[in-house]
Amino acid sequence: WLKTNNPHYMVLEDVDNIYFVEIKPSKYESVNPNDVVKEQHHLNDEQRQDILIMLCQYAKLFSGRLGCYPHKKVHLQLKDNVKPFHAKAYNVPYGHRE
């Protein structure tokens, strides 16, 4: 029951529940990298150039289109007759972080 092939829904969880939520329509527009950079008045010229390079390098991410994760599919193997539960997430101690 945690699986959905509908790209217009996503799985959310809170303290007691896991549920599907509809992704509401939004206005996705492609951006012109030069226009974005010109609006960054708080940055110096070198920083603006760095942003322009990044926006051009990853233009697909700013195309204005939603996409799907194109890599490895995820499968959760659940045991039969086991009720899923939610446990509190704990922070990873700084010493164990990569």
Side-chain angles (χ1 to χ4, degrees), residues 12-26:
L12 292 180
E13 55 184 283
D14 61 20
V15 177
D16 298 317
N17 300 301
I18 297 175
Y19 48 93
F20 291 105
V21 175
E22 182 180 4
I23 299 175
K24 302 292 183 186
S26 186

Side-chain angles (χ1 to χ4, degrees), residues 8 24 27 34 56 66 73 95:
H8 302 289
K24 302 292 183 186
K27 184 178 179 184
N34 291 311
C56 292
L66 285 179
K73 290 188 177 189

